[in-house]
Amino acid sequence: MKVGGINSVAEALKAGKVNKIYIDKDTKNPRIKQIEVLARKKGIPISYVPRSALPKESQGIAADISPIKYVELDYLIDKCLRLGSFILFLDSVEDPNNLGAVLRSAEFFGCSGVVIPKRRAVQVTDTVVRVSAGAALHLDIARVENLANALKKLKMFGITIVGADLDGEDIDNVDMSPPLAIVIGGEDRGISRPVKKQCDFIAKIPGKGKIESLNLSVAAGIMMFEFNRRLKAGEVIK
């Protein structure tokens, strides 16, 4: 969703719903400058564009906003520890349809929360909410500047980190005991090297067909199902 106007953007920013801000590259409006400073403090991406690229009633500023309010990573960590559950990390997922499908599965399987990057990844838009069948509105979602650093923080709390990738061990041999973080890579590149280095285990989902890999939303669903299956069965693999 896109909104324009100084007051609208300022309020969306205060509510934690702004994904990206667009500013007239020639503006000298002091109120817009104040919003710009606050956005930078919050790590919100800013794009400077010609006035003609903005909506007519924009007053020189517009923003892509999310229909949800993002939460802090610390909140998800505390929730995961309290519930003995898992957090899902998505490394640079770019397709809103994939993100929506993953969020639907995450909510279904009782995920404590989802973590996405602030940059170079799709954010939670109205399309994502629609594809998720509304599941995105029931999930706690955090955005972080750096996924690798966020995963480092999880290790301080004893949370095991498992990534899904083709070069990993068979998932049957990987520890998925709670509290857990599951990491799923983006469409083309998979899990990035810095994020992969933070994983305690890399798990492979074995198949029998000629196709080597699964769609990321399907892989995420299988990983989350496996966590719940073991939790219900009381299985622990060390």
Side-chain angles (χ1 to χ4, degrees):
M1 297 173 60
K2 183 167 281 187
V3 298
I6 293 172
N7 289 337
S8 296
V9 174
E11 289 306 314
L13 192 60
K14 290 176 188 176
K17 292 188 175 184
V18 174
N19 295 327
K20 186 174 182 178
I21 289 178
Y22 302 87
I23 294 177
D24 174 5
K25 62 184 180 63
D26 297 318
T27 188
K28 292 181 173 55
N29 189 310
R31 291 184 64 199
I32 290 179
K33 295 296 182 182
Q34 289 175 355
I35 292 174
E36 183 180 1
V37 170
L38 181 58
R40 290 195 180 282
K41 286 182 180 178
K42 290 178 174 287
I44 305 298
I46 300 173
S47 181
Y48 298 94
V49 300
R51 184 67 175 253
S52 60
L54 297 170
K56 283 186 178 179
E57 306 301 323
S58 68
Q59 300 174 293
I61 189 168
D64 287 330
I65 69 167
S66 170
I68 68 160
K69 182 175 181 178
Y70 295 102
V71 302
E72 297 295 327
L73 177 63
D74 287 345
Y75 175 82
L76 295 188
I77 291 173
D78 178 68
K79 185 178 177 182
C80 180
L81 294 172
R82 282 189 292 105
L83 299 179
S85 184
F86 69 96
I87 301 172
L88 182 65
F89 279 72
L90 301 177
D91 188 4
S92 302
V93 174
E94 297 177 347
D95 186 337
N97 293 291
N98 278 331
L99 180 57
V102 171
L103 295 183
R104 183 172 184 172
S105 295
E107 202 284 326
F108 180 82
F109 286 116
C111 180
S112 286
V114 179
V115 181
I116 60 176
K118 286 185 177 180
R119 302 172 189 272
R120 294 181 289 279
V122 66
Q123 305 299 304
V124 182
T125 63
D126 50 346
T127 299
V128 172
V129 173
R130 176 178 52 78
V131 174
S132 76
L137 302 175
H138 301 290
L139 277 168
D140 289 318
I141 302 173
R143 297 192 305 168
V144 296
E145 288 284 354
N146 187 296
L147 280 186
N149 288 342
L151 289 168
K152 279 184 186 178
K153 188 169 189 177
L154 264 65
K155 288 187 172 184
M156 296 168 57
F157 294 89
I159 297 176
T160 302
I161 302 168
V162 176
D165 205 86
L166 290 174
D167 63 359
E169 285 188 79
D170 191 304
I171 191 172
D172 289 339
N173 301 321
V174 172
D175 178 18
M176 296 185 72
S177 314
L180 182 74
I182 296 172
V183 183
I184 303 293
E187 288 85 356
D188 299 321
R189 293 165 289 182
I191 301 175
S192 63
R193 187 176 299 175
V195 170
K196 204 172 204 178
K197 286 177 68 174
Q198 298 306 318
C199 294
D200 298 303
F201 303 98
I202 299 296
K204 175 177 67 177
I205 300 170
K208 294 184 178 180
K210 294 180 181 179
I211 301 298
E212 291 186 354
S213 63
L214 294 166
N215 172 275
L216 72 88
S217 65
V218 175
I222 291 173
M223 295 286 286
M224 291 185 280
F225 169 80
E226 181 64 10
F227 171 84
N228 276 276
R229 184 193 69 77
R230 294 190 195 181
L231 194 65
K232 187 174 180 180
E235 294 180 23
V236 177
I237 294 177
K238 295 289 187 183

